[in-house]
Amino acid sequence: VSRRIVIEDQTSPRIRIAAGTLEAITRAVDHQLHDVAKAWGAYVFDLVDDVRRSGWHVVLLDDADQAGALGYHDVTPDGAPYARVFVRDIVDNGGDLTLFGGSVSSVVSHEVCEMIGDPGANRWANDAAGTLWALELCDAVESDWYAIDGTAVSNFVWPAYFNPFAEGPYDQMGLIAEPFGIAPGGYAIKSELGKVTPIFGDDYPAWKIAGKVAAGARTAARMNWGSGA
Ligand SMILES: [Zn+2]
Protein backbone atom coordinates (compact mmCIF):
# COMPACT_ATOMS: atom_id res chain seq x y z
CA VAL A 1 0.00 0.00 0.00
CA SER A 2 1.38 3.39 -0.94
CA ARG A 3 -0.05 6.43 0.75
CA ARG A 4 0.75 10.03 0.01
CA ILE A 5 1.72 12.66 2.55
CA VAL A 6 1.31 16.24 1.38
CA ILE A 7 3.07 19.15 3.06
CA GLU A 8 0.88 22.14 2.37
CA ASP A 9 2.08 25.64 3.23
CA GLN A 10 -0.93 27.77 4.18
CA THR A 11 1.01 30.36 6.15
CA SER A 12 0.42 34.02 5.36
CA PRO A 13 2.85 35.87 3.05
CA ARG A 14 4.48 37.51 6.06
CA ILE A 15 5.32 34.14 7.63
CA ARG A 16 5.71 32.10 4.47
CA ILE A 17 8.64 29.75 4.36
CA ALA A 18 11.01 30.17 1.40
CA ALA A 19 10.55 27.53 -1.29
CA GLY A 20 14.09 26.22 -0.81
CA THR A 21 13.56 25.80 2.92
CA LEU A 22 10.28 23.99 2.38
CA GLU A 23 12.05 21.72 -0.08
CA ALA A 24 14.79 20.99 2.46
CA ILE A 25 12.17 20.11 5.09
CA THR A 26 10.33 17.88 2.63
CA ARG A 27 13.52 16.12 1.54
CA ALA A 28 14.66 15.53 5.12
CA VAL A 29 11.31 14.15 6.27
CA ASP A 30 11.05 12.05 3.11
CA HIS A 31 14.48 10.63 3.87
CA GLN A 32 13.49 10.04 7.50
CA LEU A 33 10.63 7.84 6.31
CA HIS A 34 13.32 5.37 5.22
CA ASP A 35 14.56 5.33 8.84
CA VAL A 36 10.98 4.81 10.01
CA ALA A 37 10.42 2.07 7.43
CA LYS A 38 13.59 0.28 8.55
CA ALA A 39 12.46 0.31 12.17
CA TRP A 40 8.74 -0.28 11.70
CA GLY A 41 8.48 -2.26 8.45
CA ALA A 42 8.00 -1.67 4.80
CA TYR A 43 5.73 1.33 4.63
CA VAL A 44 5.93 3.13 1.32
CA PHE A 45 5.16 6.81 1.12
CA ASP A 46 5.50 9.48 -1.51
CA LEU A 47 6.15 12.82 0.10
CA VAL A 48 5.33 15.92 -1.93
CA ASP A 49 5.21 19.57 -1.02
CA ASP A 50 2.68 20.77 -3.56
CA VAL A 51 -1.07 21.01 -3.03
CA ARG A 52 -2.53 17.85 -4.52
CA ARG A 53 -5.71 17.85 -2.46
CA SER A 54 -5.22 14.14 -1.88
CA GLY A 55 -3.44 11.98 0.62
CA TRP A 56 -2.54 12.78 4.19
CA HIS A 57 -2.13 16.50 4.66
CA VAL A 58 0.44 18.19 6.84
CA VAL A 59 -0.74 21.80 6.85
CA LEU A 60 1.60 24.62 7.88
CA LEU A 61 -0.36 27.48 9.47
CA ASP A 62 0.64 30.76 11.14
CA ASP A 63 -1.01 30.36 14.54
CA ALA A 64 -2.09 27.49 16.76
CA ASP A 65 -5.81 26.84 17.14
CA GLN A 66 -5.07 25.64 20.68
CA ALA A 67 -2.76 27.11 23.33
CA GLY A 68 0.65 25.54 23.85
CA ALA A 69 0.59 23.46 20.67
CA LEU A 70 3.35 23.63 18.07
CA GLY A 71 1.65 20.93 16.06
CA TYR A 72 -0.65 17.95 16.33
CA HIS A 73 -2.08 15.12 14.30
CA ASP A 74 -5.65 13.95 14.29
CA VAL A 75 -8.28 12.45 12.00
CA THR A 76 -11.15 14.12 10.17
CA PRO A 77 -14.69 13.03 11.18
CA ASP A 78 -14.50 10.30 8.52
CA GLY A 79 -11.06 9.13 9.63
CA ALA A 80 -8.59 10.74 7.24
CA PRO A 81 -5.33 11.42 9.08
CA TYR A 82 -4.01 14.98 8.95
CA ALA A 83 -1.58 17.14 10.87
CA ARG A 84 -1.18 20.85 11.58
CA VAL A 85 2.06 22.67 12.33
CA PHE A 86 2.05 26.24 13.66
CA VAL A 87 4.98 28.19 12.31
CA ARG A 88 4.61 31.47 14.20
CA ASP A 89 4.19 29.65 17.53
CA ILE A 90 7.33 27.65 16.83
CA VAL A 91 9.33 30.79 16.02
CA ASP A 92 7.85 32.71 18.98
CA ASN A 93 9.00 29.89 21.27
CA GLY A 94 12.57 30.17 20.02
CA GLY A 95 12.34 27.56 17.28
CA ASP A 96 14.29 27.78 14.05
CA LEU A 97 12.94 26.71 10.63
CA THR A 98 15.27 23.76 10.11
CA LEU A 99 17.76 23.69 13.02
CA PHE A 100 17.57 21.93 16.38
CA GLY A 101 14.65 20.47 18.30
CA GLY A 102 11.47 22.53 18.35
CA SER A 103 12.11 23.72 14.79
CA VAL A 104 9.50 23.69 12.03
CA SER A 105 11.28 20.76 10.38
CA SER A 106 11.42 18.71 13.58
CA VAL A 107 7.74 19.39 14.37
CA VAL A 108 6.74 18.38 10.81
CA SER A 109 8.86 15.25 11.21
CA HIS A 110 7.24 14.52 14.60
CA GLU A 111 3.73 14.70 13.18
CA VAL A 112 4.53 12.72 10.03
CA CYS A 113 6.15 9.90 12.03
CA GLU A 114 3.15 9.78 14.35
CA MET A 115 0.63 9.75 11.50
CA ILE A 116 2.44 6.69 10.17
CA GLY A 117 2.67 4.97 13.56
CA ASP A 118 -0.93 5.66 14.56
CA PRO A 119 -3.00 6.93 11.62
CA GLY A 120 -6.27 6.82 13.58
CA ALA A 121 -4.74 8.35 16.75
CA ASN A 122 -6.33 5.46 18.63
CA ARG A 123 -3.64 2.81 19.22
CA TRP A 124 -2.38 1.76 22.65
CA ALA A 125 0.27 -0.67 23.91
CA ASN A 126 -0.07 -2.64 27.17
CA ASP A 127 3.07 -2.64 29.34
CA ALA A 128 2.10 -6.03 30.84
CA ALA A 129 1.54 -4.31 34.19
CA GLY A 130 -1.94 -3.13 33.28
CA THR A 131 -1.13 0.33 31.95
CA LEU A 132 -1.87 1.27 28.35
CA TRP A 133 0.38 3.75 26.55
CA ALA A 134 -0.70 5.77 23.51
CA LEU A 135 1.25 4.57 20.49
CA GLU A 136 2.88 7.90 19.66
CA LEU A 137 6.24 7.63 17.90
CA CYS A 138 7.74 10.97 18.95
CA ASP A 139 6.10 12.30 22.13
CA ALA A 140 8.41 10.46 24.54
CA VAL A 141 11.50 11.77 22.72
CA GLU A 142 10.12 14.97 21.22
CA SER A 143 12.94 17.32 22.25
CA ASP A 144 15.63 15.03 20.86
CA TRP A 145 16.56 15.42 17.21
CA TYR A 146 19.08 14.42 14.56
CA ALA A 147 20.04 16.08 11.30
CA ILE A 148 19.47 14.80 7.78
CA ASP A 149 21.53 16.85 5.29
CA GLY A 150 21.65 19.63 7.88
CA THR A 151 17.89 19.67 8.54
CA ALA A 152 16.66 18.68 12.00
CA VAL A 153 14.15 15.85 12.35
CA SER A 154 12.63 14.44 15.53
CA ASN A 155 13.91 11.35 17.26
CA PHE A 156 11.29 8.57 17.18
CA VAL A 157 10.75 5.33 19.09
CA TRP A 158 11.05 1.84 17.63
CA PRO A 159 8.60 -1.06 18.02
CA ALA A 160 10.67 -2.47 20.92
CA TYR A 161 9.75 0.66 22.88
CA PHE A 162 6.15 -0.57 23.10
CA ASN A 163 7.09 -4.18 23.98
CA PRO A 164 7.78 -4.63 27.71
CA PHE A 165 9.83 -7.77 27.01
CA ALA A 166 12.00 -6.47 24.18
CA GLU A 167 15.70 -5.74 24.18
CA GLY A 168 16.63 -2.32 22.81
CA PRO A 169 17.38 -0.21 21.02
CA TYR A 170 14.12 1.54 21.78
CA ASP A 171 14.52 4.67 19.67
CA GLN A 172 16.33 5.90 16.59
CA MET A 173 19.00 7.80 18.56
CA GLY A 174 19.48 5.13 21.23
CA LEU A 175 18.69 7.50 24.11
CA ILE A 176 15.91 5.56 25.84
CA ALA A 177 17.04 2.83 28.24
CA GLU A 178 13.85 0.78 28.64
CA PRO A 179 10.40 0.16 27.16
CA PHE A 180 7.96 3.02 27.87
CA GLY A 181 10.81 5.23 29.15
CA ILE A 182 10.39 8.99 28.79
CA ALA A 183 13.23 11.36 27.84
CA PRO A 184 13.66 14.48 30.03
CA GLY A 185 12.07 16.67 27.34
CA GLY A 186 9.35 14.21 26.34
CA TYR A 187 5.93 13.12 27.52
CA ALA A 188 3.50 10.23 27.13
CA ILE A 189 -0.22 9.55 27.45
CA LYS A 190 -1.17 6.60 29.63
CA SER A 191 -4.42 4.89 30.55
CA GLU A 192 -4.88 3.16 33.90
CA LEU A 193 -8.19 1.64 34.94
CA GLY A 194 -9.81 3.64 32.17
CA LYS A 195 -8.40 6.93 33.41
CA VAL A 196 -6.21 8.66 30.83
CA THR A 197 -3.50 11.08 31.97
CA PRO A 198 -0.37 12.64 30.49
CA ILE A 199 3.00 12.06 32.15
CA PHE A 200 5.88 14.48 31.55
CA GLY A 201 9.67 14.20 31.51
CA ASP A 202 11.65 16.08 34.16
CA ASP A 203 12.56 18.95 31.83
CA TYR A 204 9.24 19.26 30.01
CA PRO A 205 8.40 22.98 29.66
CA ALA A 206 5.55 24.29 31.81
CA TRP A 207 3.95 26.21 28.94
CA LYS A 208 3.69 23.01 26.94
CA ILE A 209 2.14 21.16 29.90
CA ALA A 210 -0.52 23.88 30.18
CA GLY A 211 -1.37 23.41 26.51
CA LYS A 212 -1.67 19.62 26.78
CA VAL A 213 -4.24 19.70 29.55
CA ALA A 214 -6.23 22.74 28.29
CA ALA A 215 -9.84 22.17 27.31
CA GLY A 216 -10.03 21.28 23.63
CA ALA A 217 -6.36 20.26 23.35
CA ARG A 218 -5.71 17.09 21.34
CA THR A 219 -4.14 15.39 24.36
CA ALA A 220 -7.16 16.38 26.43
CA ALA A 221 -9.45 15.02 23.72
CA ARG A 222 -7.65 11.69 23.74
CA MET A 223 -7.88 11.71 27.55
CA ASN A 224 -11.63 12.05 27.29
CA TRP A 225 -12.19 9.15 24.90
CA GLY A 226 -14.18 6.42 26.52
CA SER A 227 -15.01 8.43 29.60
CA GLY A 228 -18.22 9.78 28.08
CA ALA A 229 -16.89 13.34 28.49
ZN1 LIG B 1 3.03 13.88 19.21
Side-chain angles (χ1 to χ4, degrees), residues 136-150:
E136 300 286 353
L137 265 56
C138 296
D139 291 345
V141 292
E142 74 171 25
S143 69
D144 301 305
W145 58 278
Y146 61 105
I148 294 177
D149 291 335

Side-chain angles (χ1 to χ4, degrees), residues 39-180:
W40 282 87
Y43 294 96
V44 179
F45 292 88
D46 300 312
L47 195 63
V48 293
D49 60 4
D50 61 351
V51 181
R52 299 284 295 256
R53 303 291 170 198
S54 63
W56 299 4
H57 283 234
V58 179
V59 184
L60 307 185
L61 298 164
D62 286 4
D63 300 309
D65 48 17
Q66 57 180 252
L70 301 182
Y72 61 78
H73 67 109
D74 200 355
V75 290
T76 64
D78 49 4
Y82 70 93
R84 290 179 177 152
V85 173
F86 308 111
V87 175
R88 187 170 11 219
D89 293 87
I90 289 169
V91 172
D92 284 353
N93 283 290
D96 191 79
L97 293 180
T98 60
L99 302 176
F100 312 116
S103 59
V104 172
S105 59
S106 65
V107 175
V108 169
S109 143
H110 175 138
E111 302 307 336
V112 167
C113 289
E114 291 190 342
M115 285 165 78
I116 290 167
D118 189 4
N122 65 342
R123 291 181 178 166
W124 301 83
N126 195 313
D127 65 6
T131 299
L132 304 179
W133 298 83
L135 205 130
E136 300 286 353
L137 265 56
C138 296
D139 291 345
V141 292
E142 74 171 25
S143 69
D144 301 305
W145 58 278
Y146 61 105
I148 294 177
D149 291 335
T151 297
V153 294
S154 177
N155 190 12
F156 65 91
V157 298
W158 288 11
Y161 177 86
F162 294 107
N163 180 344
F165 310 104
E167 299 288 334
Y170 303 106
D171 61 297
Q172 180 70 11
M173 296 173 68
L175 301 177
I176 297 289
E178 58 186 358
F180 307 103

